[in-house]
Amino acid sequence: MFYVFPRAVKPDLCEQIINDCKNNIVPEKATILEENGDLRDNPNVRKTSIYFIRDKENKINELAWGFLREANKIQFHYDLEYFQAIQFGEYKNGGFYDWHKDATEIGKDNEIRKLSLTMVLSDPTTFEGGELQFYNGDRPMEDIGEITGEQITSDIKAQGTVVVFDSRDWHRVTPVTKGVRHSVVCWTVGPNFK
């Protein structure tokens, strides 16, 4: 289940966010959460460079959190307590993130990631591959009202598009085969689902 804000962020702001992130934050190793709770690098599952935006005053926080709140109000209606630090991702040639879920328990307070957000920052004409996909039981993306599955796929890849989805949903980013894909992702946390 996801909610799409197609082309909601103007291209010039997307480019500004890319430049700000590349110039002002330090890269970190991209890890995955193992079933035993350990974080580790696994290039067979994930190959990307990531940067966390920990400055709460950064303008990207207000922008992303606004979309998360709005999607939650419109579609999800989850009990949300706080937002985690935003992650800027850079997928260079061959970069990908295989099938995974974002829902993980947080801390000792029986909290879990509930909503995930992805914002595409790169112009889709500057890279190939790098598509955000949702697992749909090997079925084609179903049409939603007047919107076709093909249109949904196109909107999800468009620069400035924001996608908010249930963190329990399986999703992936396909390998980038040319150019560089930049994106911003973040998560909301709330009480574990009962």
Side-chain angles (χ1 to χ4, degrees), residues 31 56 76 83-84 151:
T31 58
K56 294 204 182 287
F76 299 97
F83 304 92
Q84 291 185 294
Q151 181 63 45

Side-chain angles (χ1 to χ4, degrees), residues 57-76:
E57 301 303 314
N58 190 300
K59 61 186 163 204
I60 190 65
N61 288 312
E62 185 176 335
L63 186 65
W65 295 343
F67 285 115
L68 280 161
R69 285 185 192 105
E70 184 67 16
N72 190 49
K73 183 171 78 174
I74 292 168
Q75 181 164 326
F76 299 97

